């Protein structure tokens, strides 16, 4: 009897434990599933909020930076405006028009012109080795000719160092007599100019300027903007004046 009673008590305890486990399982399962879903949604929402905050922060930073630059520009005086324009001219490798300088600096065109005048006056001093030159309708910083002559062997452009005396003479004939054909150049130099023409074309100092209206329609050649820029000329009218002998030699074909 005691043994049987013990077995019954043990069975009742096991059954009670199983019932408790089942109840606990039923209670926790939905909660666990819900907690997991809520966790994923919370994490996703958090990521979106962080992303939005980062985008907003970046936009606000750009706006603040833009406003700060605008405020700094508004507080500029003519001295600092001239200094800023000088910086732009120093960094630009090509001639810049008043319009382009105005766009870069955000200054009004009349302010740019006034700054240009101040810089020209500054560089006109004898202790300045550079000057502000107007080339092809744009402004650019260049070394003063009288100073550059002393250092051009070291700092001159590669093209200049490679141009031979024959190439320079051929280029001079074209510059002063253009448009001119190859045959006309050879009639002045009395030598074949094929190689010199090839060099000048490669340097982009000359280009084709059409066909001459004579039998055979030979190609005519003239100088380019690169030629003007290289020799610091605003236009062909700025070419050095020829002496009487050179004038007769170079310009006889233009008549």
């Amino acid at each position: 009897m005691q043994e049987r009673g013990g077995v019954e008590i043990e069975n009742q305890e096991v059954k009670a434990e199983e019932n408790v486990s089942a109840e606990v399982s039923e209670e926790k399962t939905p909660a666990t599933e819900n907690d997991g879903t809520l966790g994923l949604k919370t994490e996703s929402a958090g990521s979106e909020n962080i992303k939005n905050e980062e985008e907003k922060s970046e936009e606000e930073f750009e706006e603040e930076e833009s406003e700060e630059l605008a405020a700094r520009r508004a507080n500029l005086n003519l001295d600092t405006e001239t200094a800023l324009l000088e910086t732009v001219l120093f960094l630009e490798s090509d001639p810049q028009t008043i319009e382009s300088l105005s766009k870069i600096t955000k200054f009004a065109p009349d302010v740019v012109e006034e700054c240009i005048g101040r810089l020209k006056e500054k560089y006109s001093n004898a202790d300045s080795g550079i000057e502000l030159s107007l080339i092809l309708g744009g402004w650019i910083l260049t070394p003063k000719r009288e100073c550059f002559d002393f250092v051009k062997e070291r700092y001159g452009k590669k093209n200049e160092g490679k141009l031979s005396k024959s190439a320079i003479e051929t280029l001079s004939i074209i510059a002063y007599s253009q448009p001119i054909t190859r045959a006309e150049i050879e009639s002045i130099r009395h030598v074949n100019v094929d190689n010199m023409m090839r060099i000048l074309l490669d340097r982009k100092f000359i280009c084709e300027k059409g066909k001459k209206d004579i039998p055979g329609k030979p190609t005519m050649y003239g100088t380019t903007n690169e030629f003007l820029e290289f020799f610091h000329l605003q236009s062909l009218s700025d070419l050095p004046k020829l002496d009487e002998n050179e004038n007769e030699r170079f310009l006889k074909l233009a008549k």
Side-chain angles (χ1 to χ4, degrees), residues 15-73:
K15 186 176 181 180
E17 290 178 359
E18 288 178 352
N19 291 335
V20 171
S21 299
E23 290 176 1
V24 171
S25 177
E26 288 176 359
E27 291 176 358
K28 287 187 175 180
T29 299
T32 304
E33 290 177 355
N34 291 336
D35 289 346
T37 304
L38 290 173
L40 291 174
K41 289 182 178 179
T42 303
E43 183 178 354
S44 176
S47 299
E48 290 180 2
N49 290 335
I50 292 173
K51 183 178 180 182
N52 292 334
E53 288 178 0
E54 289 178 348
E55 291 177 353
K56 184 178 180 181
S57 177
E58 186 175 347
E59 291 176 359
E60 289 176 348
F61 175 78
E62 291 177 353
E63 289 178 1
E64 290 175 0
E65 187 178 44
S66 179
E67 291 174 358
E68 182 182 352
L69 284 174
R72 289 171 62 187
R73 288 182 186 279

Side-chain angles (χ1 to χ4, degrees), residues 174-223:
I174 296 172
Y176 285 98
S177 306
Q178 61 185 307
I180 186 172
T181 66
R182 188 186 303 261
E184 290 169 339
I185 298 171
E186 291 179 345
S187 71
I188 296 175
R189 293 204 63 222
H190 304 294
V191 294
N192 183 283
V193 296
D194 287 348
N195 189 46
M196 296 302 102
M197 294 292 288
R198 178 183 59 78
I199 291 173
L200 295 175
L201 286 168
D202 288 344
R203 300 292 188 273
K204 296 183 179 180
F205 285 163
I206 64 172
C207 65
E208 295 184 5
K209 296 288 185 177
K211 303 289 185 180
K212 191 164 187 176
D213 190 17
I214 59 174
K217 303 288 184 179
T219 300
M220 297 185 295
Y221 296 90
T223 55

Side-chain angles (χ1 to χ4, degrees), residues 10-254:
E10 184 177 353
N11 289 339
Q12 289 176 358
E13 290 177 350
V14 170
K15 186 176 181 180
E17 290 178 359
E18 288 178 352
N19 291 335
V20 171
S21 299
E23 290 176 1
V24 171
S25 177
E26 288 176 359
E27 291 176 358
K28 287 187 175 180
T29 299
T32 304
E33 290 177 355
N34 291 336
D35 289 346
T37 304
L38 290 173
L40 291 174
K41 289 182 178 179
T42 303
E43 183 178 354
S44 176
S47 299
E48 290 180 2
N49 290 335
I50 292 173
K51 183 178 180 182
N52 292 334
E53 288 178 0
E54 289 178 348
E55 291 177 353
K56 184 178 180 181
S57 177
E58 186 175 347
E59 291 176 359
E60 289 176 348
F61 175 78
E62 291 177 353
E63 289 178 1
E64 290 175 0
E65 187 178 44
S66 179
E67 291 174 358
E68 182 182 352
L69 284 174
R72 289 171 62 187
R73 288 182 186 279
N75 293 328
L76 291 177
N77 56 41
L78 197 56
D79 286 339
T80 50
E81 288 168 343
T82 302
L84 177 57
L85 186 69
E86 184 180 32
T87 302
V88 172
L89 289 167
F90 175 79
L91 295 173
E92 291 289 344
S93 58
D94 297 319
Q96 300 295 316
T97 63
I98 296 295
E99 291 74 19
S100 64
L101 289 172
S102 176
K103 185 176 180 180
I104 294 170
T105 60
K106 309 298 184 187
F107 298 156
D110 59 328
V111 174
V112 173
E113 290 178 353
E114 190 167 355
C115 292
I116 290 289
R118 287 166 63 97
L119 288 176
K120 288 178 67 177
E121 183 178 355
K122 171 184 176 180
Y123 296 137
S124 64
N125 295 331
D127 61 354
S128 175
I130 59 177
E131 60 186 353
L132 194 56
S133 302
L134 184 63
I135 299 176
L136 301 175
W139 294 99
I140 187 171
L141 293 176
T142 60
K144 286 184 176 177
R145 292 178 182 273
E146 57 269 27
C147 297
F148 188 66
D149 287 340
F150 290 100
V151 295
K152 66 180 180 180
E153 184 175 346
R154 179 181 179 87
Y155 297 104
K157 293 185 178 181
K158 294 181 179 179
N159 287 345
E160 184 179 32
K162 292 182 179 180
L163 285 179
S164 64
K165 182 179 179 180
S166 297
I168 290 291
E169 183 175 357
T170 301
L171 181 58
S172 299
I173 293 172
I174 296 172
Y176 285 98
S177 306
Q178 61 185 307
I180 186 172
T181 66
R182 188 186 303 261
E184 290 169 339
I185 298 171
E186 291 179 345
S187 71
I188 296 175
R189 293 204 63 222
H190 304 294
V191 294
N192 183 283
V193 296
D194 287 348
N195 189 46
M196 296 302 102
M197 294 292 288
R198 178 183 59 78
I199 291 173
L200 295 175
L201 286 168
D202 288 344
R203 300 292 188 273
K204 296 183 179 180
F205 285 163
I206 64 172
C207 65
E208 295 184 5
K209 296 288 185 177
K211 303 289 185 180
K212 191 164 187 176
D213 190 17
I214 59 174
K217 303 288 184 179
T219 300
M220 297 185 295
Y221 296 90
T223 55
T224 63
N225 286 341
E226 284 81 355
F227 162 79
L228 294 175
E229 184 176 350
F230 182 83
F231 289 100
H232 299 169
L233 302 173
Q234 172 63 17
S235 66
L236 292 175
S237 61
D238 294 331
L239 285 168
K241 302 300 181 184
L242 298 174
D243 61 31
E244 186 176 346
N245 292 332
E246 290 173 332
N247 189 69
E248 182 179 354
R249 181 186 181 201
F250 286 177
L251 303 182
K252 65 180 181 180
L253 295 173

